[in-house]
Amino acid sequence: MTPVPGAVLAQPAWLAQRISDTVRHWRLDDERVAATLWWYSASSVVTVGVGELLATESAPDVDLDAATVEIASDGRLAEFRSPGRLRDVDAVASALHRTFAAIIEPLAASSGATSLALWAVASDSLANRCLAVGGSALAADLARRIGPPLPPPRFVDIGRGIGEVDASDPVPPGRRRVVRRSSCCLIYRSPVVAAVGDPDAEARAKCVSCPRQRPEIRTARLTTL
């Protein structure tokens, strides 16, 4: 992998090539699906250091002009590095808003994916990165500061049963908090993971928390975690 400037993430022609890479790797026939799947992975990499706010009261600056990225052979964003640190929650939120918008708008225009769907992917990635360090409240706070079109993250506690919770609520003993996704990565649309025309294979290929499942199936799968 060769490091390249982070600014490429906002370049339409460069993003179009990543969409093509994803189409080829996952044997897709829909650029909208490819863009969504690529951003599902890339947004998680961009937000990887956000949870550091909890422990260090600072986080990596995600400004694209300051960042260096590495791209895997299949087109995935493999690494996002930035030498800068931000020590103010508002500054982190502002940088995230600028970077999300800079990537999402040309990615949507290049693929036919809706920008609102890609913003939902970003929200879920942000929520998962914060939750990984116990920061569901941090995720909700950052999302509020980032503002629309980023949807607020949602969470559920699983244990004996399952129920949606306020992000600021403590996790009760014997329960585990997970993100209630508002986005879908669409990987089940790839014949690499699900045979075309096989609804059972398609169902198995969906993530445990995939919102495109029937609610009772999603609940049953989450409660087995």
Side-chain angles (χ1 to χ4, degrees), residues 9 12 28 37 43 67 72 78 90 92 99 104 108 120 153 163 165 178 189 210 216:
L9 292 174
L28 297 166
L37 183 54
S43 60
D90 281 325
V92 173
T99 292
I104 285 172
V165 297
V178 298
R189 297 280 299 273
C210 179
E216 65 272 19

Side-chain angles (χ1 to χ4, degrees), residues 49-191:
V50 172
E52 295 174 23
L53 274 167
L54 279 181
T56 67
E57 298 184 346
S58 70
D61 185 357
V62 296
D63 180 75
L64 294 182
D65 289 332
T68 300
V69 300
E70 293 195 7
I71 309 301
S73 59
D74 60 3
R76 285 180 300 109
L77 179 62
E79 191 170 358
F80 185 100
R81 299 191 301 273
S82 175
R85 304 286 297 185
L86 298 174
R87 301 186 179 278
D88 178 81
V89 177
D90 281 325
V92 173
S94 180
L96 284 167
H97 191 286
R98 289 194 305 272
T99 292
F100 287 159
I103 301 171
I104 285 172
E105 297 311 314
L107 184 63
S110 298
S111 65
T114 68
S115 59
L116 288 178
L118 299 179
W119 276 100
V121 171
S123 176
D124 287 339
S125 290
L126 177 66
N128 272 311
R129 286 302 189 185
C130 291
L131 188 61
V133 293
S136 59
L138 172 63
D141 184 38
L142 280 169
R144 178 182 60 81
R145 294 169 190 262
I146 291 169
L150 187 83
R154 299 179 298 171
F155 301 91
V156 294
D157 287 349
I158 57 176
R160 294 183 178 178
I162 184 171
E164 190 161 346
V165 297
D166 188 285
S168 61
D169 291 342
V171 182
R175 286 182 170 264
R176 185 158 68 88
R177 185 157 297 173
V178 298
V179 176
R180 181 176 179 179
R181 296 191 62 89
S182 58
S183 71
C184 178
C185 68
L186 300 178
I187 195 170
Y188 72 92
R189 297 280 299 273
S190 166

